[in-house]
Amino acid sequence: MEVEIKIKLKEGISDPEGKNTKKALRLLGFEDVLDVHTLKTFRIKLDDSDEGDSVEEAKEMCKKLLANPVIHDYEIKVKK
Amino acid sequence: MEVEIKIKLKEGISDPEGKNTKKALRLLGFEDVLDVHTLKTFRIKLDDSDEGDSVEEAKEMCKKLLANPVIHDYEIKVKK
Amino acid sequence: MAKICVLRMEGTNCEWETFLAFKRLKGDAEFVHIKQILKESEEERFLEDYACVIIPGGFSSGDYVRAGAIFASRLSKLKKEIIEFIEEDKLLGGICNGFQVLVELGVLPGIGEALSEEKKAVLTVNDSNLFECRPTLLRHVNGGKCIFTRRYTKDKIVIFPSAHAEGKLVFGGEDTLEKMIENDQIVFRYTDSKGDYAGYPWNPNGSTYNIAGICNERGNVFGLMPHPERVFYSYTHPDWTRNSMGVYGDGMPLFKSILDYIDG
Amino acid sequence: MNTLHLVSEVDLIGSDDDYLRRISEDMGLGLSVGELKIIEDYFKKRGRNPTDIELQSLAQAWSEHCCYKSSKTLLKRYILIDVPQNILMGEDAGILEFNDEYAYAVAFESHNHPSNIEPYGGAATGIGGIVRDVVCMGATPVALIDPLFFDPLKGIKSKFLLNGVVSGISDYGNRIGVPTISGMVYFDEDYVSNCLVNVGCVGIVKKSEIIRSRAKEGDLFILVGGRTGRDGIHGVTFASAELSEKSEEDRGAVQLGDPITKEPLIHACLEANERGLLDGMKDLGGGGLSCVIGEMALAGGCGAEIELENVPLKEEGLKPWEILVSESQERMMLSVDPKNLKEVLGIFEGWDLLATVIGKATKGRSLNIRYGKEKIYEIDLNFLVDGVRYNRIYEIKNKEEKIERFNEPRNYEEIFSSILSSPNIASKESIIRRYDHEVGGRTVLKPLQGEIGFSSHGDASVIKPLEDSYKGLAITSDINPSFMKINPYKGSLSAVDEVCRNLVSVGSLPHSLADCLNFGNPEKPLVMGYFHESVRALGEIARELGLPYSSGNVSFYNETPEGSIPPTPVILGVGIIEDIRRSITSDIKGRNPIYLIGETREELGGSEYLKIIGVSGVVPDVNIKVLKRSIEAILKEMARGNIASCHDISEGGIAVCLAEMCMGGNIGANIDLSLMGEMIANRRFANLKISDFQMRSDIKLFSESNTRWIVEVNKKREEEFVEDLKDQGLGCTYLGKAGGDGIRISDKKKGLINIPLDKIRDIWGKGLEKFLR
Ligand SMILES: Nc1ncnc2c1ncn2[C@@H]1O[C@H](COP(=O)(O)OP(=O)(O)O)[C@@H](O)[C@H]1O
Ligand SMILES: [Mg+2]
């Protein structure tokens, strides 16, 4: 089983990587680029356990390590 | 319109970030973690243009800046 | 003599110069690997045996996930011991990556409680989106609360070099900054060569309120982005060939302040 | 266990040329038919065909990259002769005397091919490899050096390359905690699709702890660090051929590197060595397990046996030959007496690192490999390691260096501005600052020097490697590819001259050199001719100066269908400074007199000036005797405290040199060139007449003649300084005085340049910006 955890920046938190990427894309001639946001995804393979558990477990992972609530939101998806 | 571009390491290319995250998760007690892969997502807002074009455009962006075909695969999704 | 622990794990890479800074002042410092205090190793070490723990700079665990996050999450197994350590008014300091660890661990900003379950701040990606190595000028703005900087007079301007990719301090909670100012928890702020608060590159990362270093409410937990250990002697100052100074550099008094306190 | 399907026999014996060629291609061996015939012969005598694993391992050991088959002859003839006594040893890194107790280690290599395919990973693993070379001598790495060469970034591809390479070096070097203190960034059209990434590392080691790359009979081979995977397969054969469209598919050769395995690996290896537990240590770089074990056994006068099944893998299903030739990063090989095994394993366990016994050193002189119970490999070590050697045909064709006449510019400021903003001259700050150049707390002089917020280029960086000694190492690297394109002989002399100039500028005595020789396809006689002329010059000048080449590397086949790179022999120089507290920086310190040391000639061939106006000229020559005397004289003046700042004159001539000095000090200068051209010391003190001389102002300002410096002389010591230099018979010309907030240059009353410093800084500072990101 696999859980996919997306870590993204909260609304209003600046995203230097997005900003820089936007600048670079526009310089490269992609002038219709209005905005770029970046986010990081962790795809985590788990030993077989049931879905309920794995969402909870993923939440724990975010709390303990993967996200910092001051700047991050996260989304969790479970794939079988 | 928004395109979402996911950049991930190709099969067989070692992923130190995934490896180190896995080790950390396991040490934190998430012992059922078998494997971790990381990928980066760019959410790019484009000035209105039609769908066909924007997939092509996103491909160009990958080729020119966001990915290196030698080590990366990418997925493109268009959202309206 | 009180013992100092220089705590490291894979990727910590400023431990040697940090250790030397204490040694040169006859401090009793030793290296401890995180495995040792987590009892994952045969050569165990105990937090309570130290008067001061310093987490040096580097890229612990490659800064993967987020700078300092993995180190902090591993340390969080010792929450109870860490809280005790802080409440006994012992010293816990972090330089650069160490600062990131302390913030992720929840012991900084450290308002109201020694360690907060929920993170109250973050050291996030520099505005430039780049790792940058540059000399920075800092004003010591602390009114005396911070034990680590008692040897600096208020408003003294020092040169400590910076070298990081994630040094922009951002607080959670509207009034955190105000409280920190009120509590005298701001320790160093970036300035320009005239002593004014200016933007990039004088503030190398876009940090809130030009903050380079802070302490907790008790003044015994301290984090700082730039590197005082790199300017222990004057000859590693970035401009020593033009502005002559004595033997010691701007960083020395910081380590001296620590020893003043722990050795009484 | 049945290994039949894992190892196959290759039908060499009695095959015809076509078939041999096909074998080489199908198996990705990169061996020529002639080479395969030698191998065929070897096995015929043993009455059997080789296995695929044997053939793969020979291909690797015999690659250009591993055995220097095209360059060995010339290197032996010119560079590796008369090795002075201060070289203590030369293996993966050269070891030189530092003081009674300590030595320093230098390694210098190219990582060009991988960096062109995957710039980020290629450059990062380049750093990883060079650090291993130093660590495997028992030395602690204290400095990294990164000379880089790109095409002038008109295309998207080259921006991608530059950004990738710099990010790779920055991410890897910063993470392992070794400061990147020196390097260069050079742009020329001929590097299109062939960027060069050279990396150097300097380390420090107690003489008693220097360790060799060898094993003694009975030792165990312990593989430590990372796991072995399919990555890096055929890296060296790949590096020994021209790049082509198809190269992009050679993904196996590309790796990202894992600095966070490397960082503790450095500590653990050094700790095991310090405790005296190791008999030998060698890094696994280009050339996998068989090369490393083969060389360690051969050096120790024994044979070896490997249990291939014991090698820890990243993934399942690797064939034995893949395990053997894999170049997976972050691995080292230790040879350890069985009595020390437990303690060694304990150290690696403490750092959370893998350590696995995979074989032992045996009697005899062959390498034997087993997989499970099966014996799958047996080759004599001499045959494996010695490889082949060629005397490649070379053709020396000297281009005529003609002086084209051109008019004196009407607007000097315009020319000066375009030179300042050209990418080879412009500030490299945006790159330099992405490297931590201070981690370790040993960096005394940084690559950027001067007033905080205004710093400018220095000449060499200085490291204080030991806690208890003020002795220091100065480090620089140089080459001017524009000179090389016109005259490889003079270009190579100039590189050594510049290295010496840079080392002297900071107050250090040049002590040793290392060379990384980047060239095109050696099978082309003209390319071999450039190579010949270059090593001839490098050998000559070094011998006359008494400087050894402690280490080096040859990188051939830097070619694509689009063409070859300029001949690029990069020289890394190390100088010794007795007391780092006396080192000198390039930034102007006060309102002092400014002097030019050295003779300016009409040598503008390959200069930035002529490139801009598009005409040709003569490449600067070197008078080695004058260079020698100048080094002595300047160091003496510095020791007497007469010199406040010093900068050597290179690309862009006097004009650029002055500008950099002034920007760093944030102090301007008033300069008059009218005394230039006189060979003897300034008339203010020597009471000489100004003889009329013909040199035009633009030549004075922009000529790139070698062996020249600009110095700021302490006001009170001016007279002594001038007398001293006169005694030495060295050219020394009064240029003017520091002061003001602009650079003003005139020649006999004729004003040439008058630009405020802020503006100069702006032009120079932004020159590279458009190329980054
Ligand atoms: N890629 C680089 N990495 C580190 N330092 C660099 C790099 N490029 C240039 N530098 C440093 O910038 C300074 C100026 O470089 P350069 O103009 O090439 O010097 P020079 O002409 O004296 O050899 C030197 O200190 C050099 O080491
Ligand atoms: Mg120079």
Side-chain angles (χ1 to χ4, degrees), chain D residues 146 148 180-185 424 428 431-432 435 446-448 457-461 476-478 498 502 647-648 650-651 660:
Chain D
D146 71 327
L148 310 174
T180 304
I181 57 160
S182 191
M184 59 183 289
V185 189
N424 285 336
K428 306 294 182 297
I431 292 171
I432 295 168
Y435 307 141
K446 342 270 176 198
L448 295 166
H457 288 166
D459 286 316
S461 297
T476 185
S477 63
D478 291 289
E498 186 175 358
N502 281 331
H647 197 21
D648 82 304
S650 57
E651 285 98 334
E660 289 184 344

Side-chain angles (χ1 to χ4, degrees), chain D residues 567-587:
Chain D
T568 313
V570 187
I571 306 301
L572 188 160
V574 181
I576 299 248
I577 179 160
E578 290 302 326
D579 185 338
I580 51 96
R581 292 168 299 183
R582 313 208 58 158
S583 27
I584 306 268
T585 49
S586 64
D587 46 306

Side-chain angles (χ1 to χ4, degrees), chain D residues 455-608:
Chain D
S455 52
S456 152
H457 288 166
D459 286 316
S461 297
V462 173
I463 290 278
K464 176 181 176 294
L466 299 175
E467 175 69 2
D468 309 324
S469 159
Y470 284 112
K471 204 166 184 173
L473 292 169
I475 298 171
T476 185
S477 63
D478 291 289
I479 181 64
N480 186 330
S482 303
F483 295 171
M484 288 300 298
K485 284 210 270 191
I486 306 171
N487 187 323
Y489 179 80
K490 282 201 269 176
S492 302
L493 292 182
S494 300
V496 176
D497 188 272
E498 186 175 358
V499 161
C500 293
R501 272 158 25 213
N502 281 331
L503 294 177
V504 168
S505 290
V506 298
S508 77
L509 179 66
H511 189 256
S512 73
L513 305 170
D515 57 295
C516 189
L517 309 174
N518 308 272
F519 287 79
N521 183 345
E523 292 156 44
K524 296 181 180 165
L526 269 181
V527 170
M528 229 27 222
Y530 301 149
F531 183 77
H532 182 275
E533 287 306 278
S534 175
V535 292
R536 185 166 71 88
L538 294 177
E540 254 176 51
I541 185 166
R543 224 167 307 132
E544 220 171 305
L545 292 170
L547 294 175
Y549 289 95
S550 64
S551 90
N553 165 250
V554 181
S555 167
F556 280 128
Y557 298 99
N558 292 290
E559 289 203 38
T560 52
E562 283 147 88
S564 158
I565 58 155
T568 313
V570 187
I571 306 301
L572 188 160
V574 181
I576 299 248
I577 179 160
E578 290 302 326
D579 185 338
I580 51 96
R581 292 168 299 183
R582 313 208 58 158
S583 27
I584 306 268
T585 49
S586 64
D587 46 306
I588 296 279
K589 309 292 185 306
R591 298 169 171 280
N592 287 311
I594 294 175
Y595 279 81
L596 163 69
I597 299 179
E599 193 188 335
T600 307
R601 292 179 291 260
E602 189 168 344
E603 293 174 317
L604 289 135
S607 68
E608 289 298 317

Side-chain angles (χ1 to χ4, degrees), chain B residues 16-17 20-21 23-24 27-28, chain C residues 10 40 64-65 70 73-74 77:
Chain B
E17 174 157 26
N20 280 283
T21 310
K23 182 178 163 192
L27 283 170
L28 279 178
Chain C
E10 59 263 28
E40 293 166 8
Y64 296 124
V65 180
I70 291 180
S73 70
R74 288 183 68 181
K77 284 194 180 158

Side-chain angles (χ1 to χ4, degrees), chain D residues 2 55 77 105 114 166 210 275 349 427 431 448 463 545 590 634 657 664 674 702 717 754:
Chain D
N2 179 5
L55 209 46
R77 182 177 318 154
V166 172
I210 296 172
R275 290 208 218 157
E349 158 66 24
S427 171
I431 292 171
L448 295 166
I463 290 278
L545 292 170
I634 293 175
C657 181
S674 54
F702 302 125
R717 309 292 204 123
N754 182 358

